[in-house]
């Protein structure tokens, strides 16, 4: 790391966080080992998180040798809503905000889907799903508008709007119920089966997860919008002075947060088959846990989408492992909390040591 | 994006003869604005349902406001330092549950165990935030999840013994003396006096404001910032546990979602009371009024003949409006 600290710092600031590949360094060619080392340092989430996932999967197979296609499917099913909550939170946090209303937004989409799709055909359900996604984006926009217009800090606004959206969800559907057509549920609960390929080892939930993250996030990340989101997240005043429309970008980040939350709500409908007005509350906190473990800095501007999504898989896998190990799965939440605390404390400790050097 | 200059609210407090008009006056005396708002809410109730506001009603309002006020005390301390504590609801629930399940050990031991949970979680929060410089939001979120999870596991191990709330805790949470004075006021009032006096007159109080205003300046001035933060978070955990005890006294039933609904109000009471979440501005007097306003708002909403979700939406919307109005007033 002694080669060109200034330069590497600069490229880090540019938003080349975790899911960009190593930038080419034409003028000097350090050894491959040094470059690999730097690449790993710069993209801890890109290297560390998949490694951790592989490790935990290996442990899972070790303690539960019968781990098969069905277990893989239930892992993907369980992780899908959580991964969407994490994705929603990631966009907002990257922009320097925080959204504590994600769980309620998911609940609203969930009950909207379950109450309108109950007697719909598959095609109608797909159309309704699109409308619900738009509604989710609008709700996110409302969150963002209130944050920008009221000048109240994000935490307070979204804590309160979360309360309000929770009321809206209860208003739409008082008790758990509703439903959706079989074909629609199959989008998540089934496994890959097309004319030319049929495999029980590829759960639809996993395909849905990957495609929805890629479809929404990749266009954002690769265009100006992503750059602006990273910019206002890392230094709002500098971004403002460079001519970035800070307020609009903040609202936009909340719009994407709302969109991902809506996908998460639809995923909840698909995985549970019903709508439950209180099902979402769990996902606000767990989604935050996933992004913290996934290496997204809560101060904004640092991190990527891969880490949180993999962290969501990890957070789903760990309680399963506990069941395999005959430990009370209720420890899952304890472990989740402990993981957050440990991750942030170790991060803090490392920074503390560095500052003393 | 505007970069507002900090002006209002810091002008001389003796400038009453200065620029006239009601807004500048309220800007200088925000606590008066809050009290006026509280009176307006009470008047609203009296108008909506004449004959409601009686001494008994006022005494009940104070009784119900006390747990929120005590929770708000801790939240005020940490928000003055620029932090936030999202674990208060879990801690309050946990302390109440521990009290009820350990009542067979004797009331004093049970109370100490409950308060011990608050001190423990507060200490953990404090170490993470003050020493290891973790963001308060994440730290308290994590410890909140941990506490909640531990309580779920614990509740399943403790199925054998019947939860029971000791009688003096029931009296504390629901009892009244002299016909109309709620007993929990005897707990809340000393806390309020200690908070207001402590924040205004003691070195620790001033340091709490100073750390929230400018942590770096404090460090350069030789303040041991971590000690101030640590004490604030431990106190916050302690107050949360105490509020849990009062709460379980009033409901007389400990369950694992007892204080969940208090998380938003505990933050909202402080914000409405004029304490800036960015730190360094505000005080406990405002939080008291904030807690009273929220309590009166709740009973105003129960007077409305509306379904529960509508009330929830209205409650949230009014909190947002009040907080926004306050931000405009003081900016």
């Amino acid at each position: 790391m002694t080669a060109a600290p200034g330069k590497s710092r600069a490229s880090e600031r540019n938003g080349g966080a975790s899911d960009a590949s190593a930038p080419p360094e034409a003028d000097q060619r350090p050894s491959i080992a040094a470059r690999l080392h730097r690449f790993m340092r710069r993209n801890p989430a890109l290297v560390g998180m998949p490694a951790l996932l592989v490790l935990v999967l290996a442990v899972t197979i070790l303690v539960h040798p019968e781990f098969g296609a069905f277990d893989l499917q239930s892992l993907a099913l369980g992780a899908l809503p959580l991964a969407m909550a994490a994705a929603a939170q990631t966009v907002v946090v990257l922009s320097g905000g925080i959204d504590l209303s994600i769980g309620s937004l998911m609940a609203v989409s969930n009950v909207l889907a379950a109450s309108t799709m109950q007697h719909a055909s598959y095609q109608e359900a797909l159309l309704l799903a699109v409308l619900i996604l738009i509604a989710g984006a609008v709700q996110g926009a409302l969150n963002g508008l209130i944050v920008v217009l009221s000048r109240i800090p994000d935490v307070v606004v979204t804590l309160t709007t979360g309360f309000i959206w929770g009321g809206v969800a209860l208003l739409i559907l008082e008790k758990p119920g509703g439903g959706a057509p079989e074909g629609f549920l199959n989008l998540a609960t089934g496994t890959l089966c097309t004319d030319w390929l049929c495999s029980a080892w590829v759960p639809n939930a996993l395909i849905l997860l990957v495609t929805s993250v890629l479809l929404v996030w990749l266009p954002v990340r690769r265009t100006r919008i992503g750059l602006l989101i990273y910019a206002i997240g890392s230094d709002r005043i500098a971004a403002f002075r460079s001519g970035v429309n800070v307020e609009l970008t903040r609202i936009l980040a909340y719009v994407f947060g709302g969109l991902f939350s809506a996908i998460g709500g639809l995923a909840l409908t698909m995985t549970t088959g019903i709508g439950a007005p209180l099902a979402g509350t769990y996902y606000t906190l767990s989604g935050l846990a996933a992004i913290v473990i996934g290496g997204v800095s809560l101060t904004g501007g640092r991190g990527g989408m891969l880490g949180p999504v993999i962290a969501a898989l990890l957070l789903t896998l760990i309680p399963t492992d506990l069941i395999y190990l005959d430990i009370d799965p209720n420890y899952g939440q304890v472990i989740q909390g402990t993981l957050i605390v440990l991750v942030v404390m170790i991060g803090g400790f490392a920074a503390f040591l560095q500052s003393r050097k | 994006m505007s970069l507002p200059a900090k002006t209002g609210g810091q002008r001389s407090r003796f400038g009453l003869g200065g620029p006239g008009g009601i807004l500048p006056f309220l800007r200088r005396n925000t606590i008066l604005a809050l009290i006026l708002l509280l009176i307006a809410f009470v008047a609203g109730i009296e108008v909506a349902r004449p004959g409601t506001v009686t001494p008994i009603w006022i005494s009940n309002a104070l009784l119900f406001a006390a747990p929120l006020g005590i929770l708000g005390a801790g939240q005020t301390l940490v928000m003055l330092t620029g932090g936030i504590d999202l674990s208060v609801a879990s801690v309050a629930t946990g302390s109440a549950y521990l009290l009820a399940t350990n009542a067979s050990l004797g009331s004093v031991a049970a109370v100490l165990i409950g308060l011990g949970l608050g001190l423990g979680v507060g200490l953990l929060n404090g170490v993470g935030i003050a020493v290891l410089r973790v963001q308060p939001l994440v730290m308290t979120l994590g410890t909140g999840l941990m506490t909640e999870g531990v309580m779920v596991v614990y509740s399943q191990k403790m199925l054998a013994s019947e939860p029971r709330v000791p009688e003096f805790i029931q009296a504390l949470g629901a009892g009244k003396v002299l016909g109309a004075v709620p007993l929990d006021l005897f707990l809340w009032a000393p806390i309020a006096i200690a908070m207001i006096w402590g924040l205004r007159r003691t070195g620790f109080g001033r340091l709490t404001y100073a750390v929230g205003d400018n942590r770096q300046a404090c460090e350069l001035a030789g303040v041991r910032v971590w000690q101030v933060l640590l004490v604030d978070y431990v106190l916050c955990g302690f107050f949360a546990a105490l509020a849990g005890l009062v709460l379980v006294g009033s409901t007389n039933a400990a369950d694992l979602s007892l204080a969940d609904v208090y998380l938003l109000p505990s933050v909202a009471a402080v914000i409405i009371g004029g304490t800036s979440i960015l730190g360094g501005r505000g005080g406990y007097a405002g939080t008291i009024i904030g807690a009273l306003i929220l309590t009166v708002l709740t009973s105003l909403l129960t007077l409305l003949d509306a379904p529960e979700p509508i009330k929830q939406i209205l409650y949230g919307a009014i909190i947002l409006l009040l907080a926004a109005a306050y931000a405009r007033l003081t900016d």
Side-chain angles (χ1 to χ4, degrees):
Chain A
M1 265 320 277
T2 47
K7 186 165 194 175
S8 74
R9 183 68 54 83
S11 69
E12 222 170 293
R13 280 279 161 77
N14 275 339
S18 69
D19 40 359
S21 56
E25 306 252 332
D27 47 337
Q28 46 183 346
R29 290 200 163 274
S31 73
I32 291 176
R35 283 169 67 188
L36 190 68
H37 181 71
R38 187 164 65 201
F39 177 74
M40 281 171 60
R41 273 196 61 142
R42 213 177 285 165
N43 306 296
L46 196 59
V47 182
M49 290 308 291
L52 198 59
L53 181 65
V54 169
L55 187 77
V56 177
L57 266 176
V59 171
T60 311
I61 293 171
L62 210 64
V63 298
H64 184 70
E66 306 90 82
F67 189 88
F70 175 74
D71 302 83
L72 190 67
Q73 193 193 353
S74 40
L75 166 65
L77 271 180
L80 182 62
L82 179 55
M84 290 304 133
Q89 192 67 269
T90 303
V91 187
V92 177
V93 168
L94 281 178
S95 79
I98 190 156
D99 192 343
L100 295 182
S101 71
I102 284 172
S104 307
L105 288 181
M106 283 174 69
V108 171
S109 309
N110 176 220
V111 293
L112 262 181
S115 56
T116 54
M117 289 179 185
Q118 196 163 12
H119 305 293
S121 69
Y122 177 60
Q123 280 79 11
E124 287 168 348
L126 284 184
L127 184 68
L128 283 169
V130 173
L131 291 179
I132 288 168
L133 291 183
I134 295 172
V138 170
Q139 291 168 47
L142 270 174
N143 273 347
L145 261 179
I146 297 174
V147 167
V148 167
L149 289 182
S150 69
R151 295 191 224 160
I152 314 170
D154 304 52
V155 193
V156 183
V157 170
T158 54
L159 193 66
T160 321
T161 55
F163 198 71
I164 297 176
W165 294 126
V168 171
L170 278 170
L171 204 60
I172 298 170
L173 200 64
E174 205 178 338
K175 291 188 203 94
E182 199 59 39
F184 184 70
L185 300 184
N186 193 46
L187 284 179
T189 52
T191 52
L192 178 70
C193 210
T194 60
D195 293 339
W196 43 274
L197 179 70
C198 229
S199 166
W201 280 91
V202 186
N204 280 352
L206 199 63
I207 303 176
L208 194 62
L209 197 168
V210 174
T211 46
S212 46
V213 169
L214 287 185
L215 271 182
V216 180
W217 184 235
L218 217 56
V220 173
R221 184 72 186 78
R222 294 284 163 198
T223 54
R224 267 174 61 90
I225 303 171
L227 192 62
L228 296 185
I229 288 178
Y230 273 97
I232 65 165
S234 52
D235 193 335
R236 201 166 280 173
I237 293 173
F240 174 68
R241 288 186 182 147
S242 324
V244 177
N245 188 338
V246 173
E247 295 180 343
L248 192 67
T249 314
R250 285 177 80 187
I251 296 175
L252 216 56
Y254 278 98
V255 169
F256 283 111
L259 185 61
F260 271 123
S261 309
I263 303 178
L266 289 176
L268 262 182
T269 316
M270 293 179 200
T271 53
T272 60
I274 56 160
L278 299 176
T281 43
Y282 161 82
Y283 290 99
T284 308
L285 299 187
S286 294
L288 252 177
I291 74 156
V292 170
I293 295 166
V296 176
S297 159
L298 272 193
T299 47
R302 267 160 190 267
M305 194 54 88
L306 186 69
V309 170
I310 292 185
L313 286 168
L314 280 176
L315 286 178
T316 317
L317 197 52
I318 289 171
T320 322
D321 281 0
L322 293 180
I323 299 176
Y324 294 150
L325 286 170
D326 264 346
I327 303 173
D328 187 351
N330 285 308
Y331 279 107
Q333 200 177 11
V334 185
I335 291 181
Q336 217 173 64
T338 317
L339 263 181
I340 307 185
V341 171
L342 275 184
V343 166
V344 290
M345 274 183 143
I346 291 170
F349 192 62
F352 176 72
L353 285 183
Q354 219 148 40
S355 72
R356 300 199 82 177
K357 264 181 193 167
Chain B
M1 182 166 128
S2 59
L3 303 168
K6 275 192 187 177
T7 47
Q10 294 188 353
R11 271 177 238 149
S12 161
R13 146 194 311 219
F14 304 104
L16 292 182
I22 187 84
L23 271 183
F25 177 72
L26 289 180
R27 205 163 281 164
R28 271 176 264 119
N29 302 279
T30 43
I31 196 89
L32 265 183
L34 286 172
I35 292 174
L36 282 179
L37 188 69
L38 178 63
I39 293 172
F41 270 44
V42 175
I45 288 187
E46 182 63 27
V47 169
R49 188 93 35 110
T52 312
V53 182
T54 57
I56 298 291
W57 182 87
I58 293 173
S59 134
N60 277 337
L62 283 172
L63 184 74
F64 294 134
L68 181 55
I70 296 171
L71 268 183
Q75 201 69 269
T76 306
L77 282 176
V78 300
M79 280 168 78
L80 279 176
T81 67
I84 192 168
D85 191 340
L86 294 183
S87 68
V88 286
S90 314
V91 169
T93 307
S95 102
Y97 199 78
L98 282 179
L99 169 92
T101 47
N102 287 302
S104 52
L105 299 177
S107 303
V108 177
V111 167
L112 288 180
I113 291 173
L115 293 180
L117 176 83
L119 289 175
V121 176
L123 189 67
L124 189 59
N125 283 337
V127 168
I129 293 159
V131 181
L132 299 174
R133 295 186 167 225
V134 176
Q135 274 219 340
L137 188 85
V138 202
M139 187 69 201
T140 55
L141 184 77
T143 52
L145 274 178
M146 270 165 81
T147 315
E148 223 168 89
V150 168
M151 280 303 133
V152 170
V153 175
Y154 171 81
S155 72
Q156 282 163 349
K157 306 259 140 105
M158 289 297 293
L159 277 181
S161 77
E162 181 79 8
R164 186 174 61 83
V165 181
E167 261 158 35
F168 81 97
I169 292 287
Q170 286 183 38
L172 178 68
K176 291 181 187 172
V177 289
L178 304 173
V181 184
L183 261 177
D184 56 11
L185 208 56
F186 289 99
L187 185 66
W188 188 18
I191 289 176
I193 293 166
M195 281 284 295
I196 294 172
W197 179 80
L199 279 175
R200 279 202 192 145
R201 298 277 174 229
T202 65
F204 169 70
R206 283 167 197 232
L207 284 180
T208 297
Y209 279 99
V211 167
D213 206 24
N214 193 335
R215 178 176 178 152
Q216 214 167 3
C218 284
E219 264 160 16
L220 291 176
V223 175
R224 291 197 181 87
V225 171
W226 68 272
Q227 291 180 354
V228 179
L229 285 175
L230 189 71
V231 172
D232 278 326
Y233 279 93
V234 170
L235 278 177
C236 184
F238 176 76
F239 282 136
L242 206 58
L245 299 188
V246 177
L247 205 58
V248 78
S250 70
T251 61
N252 193 16
D255 67 83
L256 289 178
S257 57
L258 177 73
D260 281 1
V261 291
Y262 276 87
L263 179 59
L264 172 65
S266 82
V267 176
V270 180
I271 298 278
I272 292 174
T275 298
S276 162
I277 197 172
L278 306 173
R281 275 164 76 183
Y284 188 57
T287 305
I288 297 175
I289 311 286
L292 288 174
I293 288 178
L294 288 181
T295 311
V296 173
L297 176 61
T298 313
S299 58
L300 187 62
L301 288 178
T302 36
L303 281 186
L304 287 180
D305 204 16
E308 202 54 44
I310 299 274
K311 285 181 200 161
Q312 191 174 336
I313 295 170
L314 278 176
Y315 187 78
I318 292 174
I319 287 179
L320 270 183
L321 275 178
L322 290 181
Y326 203 95
R328 297 270 159 180
L329 186 69
T330 50
D331 244 10

